[in-house]
Amino acid sequence: MKFKCTKGIMNEAINIVLKAIPAKTTMPILECVVIEAYGDEIKLTTNDMSLGIETRLPAEIEEDGTILVKAKMIADIIRKLPDEDIYFEADENENILLFCGKSKFNFPGKSHEEFPMLPEIEKSKKIVISQFTLREMILQTIFSISNNENNKILTGELFEINGDEFKIASLDLHRVSIRKMQLKESYDDIKVVIPGKTLSEVSKILTGGIDDKVQIFFSKNHVLFEMENTVIISRLIEGNFYNINQMLSNDYETKVTVNKKEFLDCIDRATLLLRESENKPVIMNVKNNEIKMEMNTKVGSMDESIRSEKEGKDIRIAFDPKFLIDVLRVIDEEEISMYLFNSKAPCFIRDDNTYNYLILPVNLID
Amino acid sequence: MKFKCTKGIMNEAINIVLKAIPAKTTMPILECVVIEAYGDEIKLTTNDMSLGIETRLPAEIEEDGTILVKAKMIADIIRKLPDEDIYFEADENENILLFCGKSKFNFPGKSHEEFPMLPEIEKSKKIVISQFTLREMILQTIFSISNNENNKILTGELFEINGDEFKIASLDLHRVSIRKMQLKESYDDIKVVIPGKTLSEVSKILTGGIDDKVQIFFSKNHVLFEMENTVIISRLIEGNFYNINQMLSNDYETKVTVNKKEFLDCIDRATLLLRESENKPVIMNVKNNEIKMEMNTKVGSMDESIRSEKEGKDIRIAFDPKFLIDVLRVIDEEEISMYLFNSKAPCFIRDDNTYNYLILPVNLID
């Protein structure tokens, strides 16, 4: 095996496949990357058994071949090489020689035979979507997945396609986050649950803009994201997701509209009075054209009033400030509207068509 | 006590005095900042018993007074306030009210009576130097102080003034770092050892340029750094510093000159082959007009040749790569010269007048 490639491109490619290298593993082979040289390109493959990544880059191949190398080590070496051509050789004993500029590295590789290569996925059901949009939709919902491995289904996100409507949703015990978009064409109905870990890595690899596309293929047990040079394959989480529509409601007694930044900054300040483990809610008094926000903790108290527009009844309601902050941070709009029913019923922060966030209030002992 | 000040200035001032707030302490009072309002300014004071900081800022004082507040908490609150005027009040029960924009905070302060205010320092011996230069000199030497509290004197840096020469030096078991500069006038001779922790905080507070001055006052047990609005007082470390001049030598058998960046990058790459606890040296073979650099570890090997200019004999010598990297990182010059004697004698990296770094080699078993 013998090839030449440029440092910059190799560096970029290896950083993509690093995302499927497990932080801890009892199987050392999973810490390796498979380097395959054939024709006029190199293919890098990593696989942590639930997430696998393959990426291709152009190279001048002098001799075909495949080798396995510790991924973290070769990534570190390549990052620090001068910006010149990399000459890479592996002999029949899996010894690797790497030249770049005036430096020469020599280290052992491994046979690739035992590496679990990525499964073949049936490519019948798919959708096409902009990379930018998918990344945004993931980042706008992923904060409310659960970390509790005992209820596996909640550690993932629902991907649901109905005709030309695409929806991503996640939920934990206190809240539901939903983002929706209109697809350019209609597709077969799909409803799968994708691990949060996969989506977090996918969002980092999706660096493309609005016009760069990603194809998403769905099979019985896997999902496959295909971009220009990179393929990401992940297992799905088995089981049925909760019926989210049942949790939603369009009824309300009070609708309050506020400037998002003012509201977020105020809640942020209120949390300053919380010491480590303290778990005090922020209280909202919605009255006429202002919300009076209150926070009372062991350390001290804060109150602040915020301009708002109200429709319907006055209301006093309390929330875990973290849940409000999580939602407000991912909404791009300048103004947001909250729909409230009573102090014990969920609050909905939603617009007409693209987002709907449900947050349960905290009981106030009056 | 009642005053008004602007958020930006208060925020800057509190961040300066935060640097003398101990991370851990058995005396909770040291986690507080003293806020004094008199005349037309506020003075903030913190003191961790070895380092104390005082800074002043302009304010509109309506009622004089002094109060003690948890420093970290008030710093967090002020940072997150809107960019408007801050109204601060403390009543006779040490209750604090803080208004800014539409937010109102209420929290308890403390009586300042038990706080250890900063000692009065006799201001007879002093030097004046540019803030920028002092910061540079500290950063260029502080990496070789020792962390071993059993040999206290080595946890500090020597400040020595002889006429118009000012010298800062630090050393541990493997190396010596010296920086020198010419002062604009002659001063009395001074030789003190200042704690590394103090100098590290001083270097962060010295944000001024070449033309901003700092006055340094030396008393028997203390050093005092005085800038426009800020004063930093630190205890000195007792005892005599090692005789550094005895360790230096101008003799050499080999002088090698290299491009600093090429040399540093090469050593940096060589360290990639070191796994966690492995402690292998980088070997330099100085021959004709190149240095062949070698690194051999459990992981693999590297070699690389670097262009150099040599005077004197060929030599093969080995170093802990970390010690070379530390020195090369703080030298600004494009080229550096190493002065070598034999493979067991110290290497000197020095120029004519401003720096001199001594590094002990690692024994090579040939």
Side-chain angles (χ1 to χ4, degrees), chain A residues 19 23 43 55 70 82 97 101 173 182 191 245 276 304:
Chain A
K19 299 195 163 54
K43 194 167 84 180
T55 195
K70 289 268 181 195
L97 260 179
L173 294 175
Q182 218 66 30
K191 200 172 175 181
N245 292 329
E276 288 106 58
E304 180 165 347

Side-chain angles (χ1 to χ4, degrees), chain B residues 68-251:
Chain B
L68 202 64
V69 192
K70 289 270 181 192
K72 184 94 177 46
M73 183 188 71
I74 190 135
D76 285 346
I77 290 177
I78 286 167
R79 183 172 45 250
K80 295 220 173 163
L81 289 175
D83 279 324
E84 296 185 35
D85 284 341
I86 295 177
Y87 295 82
F88 188 104
E89 283 180 46
D91 65 18
E92 63 278 14
N93 298 317
E94 278 107 24
N95 276 319
I96 295 170
L97 260 180
L98 193 156
F99 297 88
C100 185
K102 284 179 175 170
S103 42
K104 188 177 96 193
F105 282 88
N106 180 221
F107 49 90
K110 281 180 189 172
S111 156
H112 66 285
E113 276 154 28
E114 308 203 341
F115 191 84
M117 296 304 282
L118 305 190
E120 282 293 321
I121 303 296
E122 196 203 332
K123 291 189 174 178
S124 55
K125 281 189 163 185
K126 74 158 181 183
I127 64 168
V128 182
I129 174 178
S130 121
Q131 294 191 23
F132 177 83
T133 308
L134 179 60
R135 182 174 67 238
E136 290 290 295
M137 288 176 75
I138 294 172
L139 296 178
Q140 287 158 345
T141 48
I142 201 163
F143 58 85
S144 65
I145 62 171
S146 156
N147 295 318
N148 185 346
E149 290 287 328
N150 292 329
N151 195 350
K152 196 82 187 176
I153 200 98
L154 294 188
T155 64
E157 291 209 69
L158 176 72
F159 270 50
E160 187 173 353
I161 291 114
N162 280 306
D164 65 351
E165 189 193 82
F166 173 43
K167 181 160 85 182
I168 298 189
S170 73
L171 67 97
D172 62 18
L173 294 175
H174 310 283
R175 50 194 173 153
V176 182
S177 304
I178 304 168
R179 284 273 169 169
K180 276 190 283 198
M181 71 165 294
Q182 217 66 29
L183 295 168
K184 291 222 170 99
E185 42 186 306
S186 276
Y187 296 93
D188 289 346
D189 285 1
I190 290 166
K191 201 171 175 183
V192 298
V193 183
I194 303 178
K197 163 90 170 71
T198 297
L199 295 173
S200 160
E201 300 305 341
V202 166
S203 73
K204 290 174 205 152
I205 296 172
L206 289 169
T207 52
I210 281 278
D211 295 328
D212 296 305
K213 302 294 179 204
V214 49
Q215 301 188 67
I216 317 179
F217 298 91
F218 301 90
S219 76
K220 190 163 173 293
N221 297 312
H222 290 91
V223 59
L224 185 151
F225 297 87
E226 187 168 316
M227 284 149 275
E228 210 188 343
N229 297 313
T230 303
V231 169
I232 306 169
I233 295 180
S234 166
R235 287 188 174 277
L236 296 173
I237 299 179
E238 282 175 52
N240 290 320
F241 206 70
Y242 290 75
N243 185 343
I244 291 176
N245 293 328
Q246 229 172 38
M247 305 174 191
L248 306 180
S249 152
N250 284 321
D251 279 0

Side-chain angles (χ1 to χ4, degrees), chain A residues 1-159:
Chain A
M1 177 182 199
K2 200 167 174 181
F3 65 82
K4 177 177 121 181
C5 62
T6 60
K7 181 233 163 162
I9 294 175
M10 183 61 153
N11 190 37
E12 222 173 273
I14 200 123
N15 278 317
I16 290 174
V17 294
L18 268 189
K19 299 195 163 54
I21 294 294
K24 274 186 199 170
T25 174
T26 51
M27 292 172 68
I29 200 167
L30 302 185
E31 291 170 346
C32 294
V33 52
V34 183
I35 305 180
E36 291 174 85
Y38 287 102
D40 56 3
E41 65 178 26
I42 296 169
K43 194 167 84 180
L44 305 178
T45 308
T46 54
N47 185 1
D48 73 7
M49 301 309 279
S50 72
L51 176 69
I53 305 177
E54 235 177 58
T55 195
R56 286 168 294 121
L57 62 147
E60 281 178 37
I61 315 284
E62 209 174 293
E63 197 189 307
D64 289 351
T66 305
I67 190 105
L68 202 64
V69 192
K70 289 268 181 195
K72 184 92 178 48
M73 183 187 70
I74 190 134
D76 284 346
I77 290 177
I78 286 166
R79 183 174 43 250
K80 294 222 174 162
L81 289 175
D83 279 322
E84 296 184 36
D85 283 341
I86 295 176
Y87 295 82
F88 188 104
E89 283 181 45
D91 66 17
E92 61 279 14
N93 298 318
E94 278 107 23
N95 276 319
I96 295 170
L97 260 179
L98 192 154
F99 297 89
C100 184
K102 284 180 173 170
S103 40
K104 189 177 96 194
F105 282 88
N106 179 223
F107 50 90
K110 282 182 188 168
S111 155
H112 65 285
E113 275 153 28
E114 307 202 341
F115 191 84
M117 295 303 284
L118 306 190
E120 283 291 323
I121 303 296
E122 196 203 331
K123 291 191 174 176
S124 54
K125 281 187 163 188
K126 75 158 180 182
I127 64 168
V128 182
I129 174 179
S130 122
Q131 294 192 23
F132 177 83
T133 307
L134 179 60
R135 181 174 68 238
E136 290 289 295
M137 288 176 75
I138 293 172
L139 296 178
Q140 286 159 344
T141 48
I142 201 165
F143 58 84
S144 63
I145 62 171
S146 156
N147 295 318
N148 185 345
E149 290 288 328
N150 292 329
N151 194 352
K152 195 83 187 175
I153 201 98
L154 293 189
T155 65
E157 290 208 69
L158 176 73
F159 271 50

Side-chain angles (χ1 to χ4, degrees), chain B residues 9 32 54 65-66 88 93 104 147 152 156 177 221 234 249-250 264 272 285 299 311 328 335 341 354 361:
Chain B
I9 294 177
C32 294
E54 236 177 57
T66 305
F88 188 104
N93 298 317
K104 188 177 96 193
N147 295 318
K152 196 82 187 176
S177 304
N221 297 312
S234 166
S249 152
N250 284 321
L264 176 56
L272 291 172
N285 284 289
V299 173
E311 258 178 49
L328 296 172
E335 292 205 322
F341 198 80
T354 62

Side-chain angles (χ1 to χ4, degrees), chain A residues 295-308:
Chain A
M295 173 67 98
N296 298 293
T297 76
K298 278 182 206 158
V299 173
S301 65
M302 186 204 88
D303 58 72
E304 180 165 347
S305 53
I306 296 186
R307 283 173 303 126
S308 66

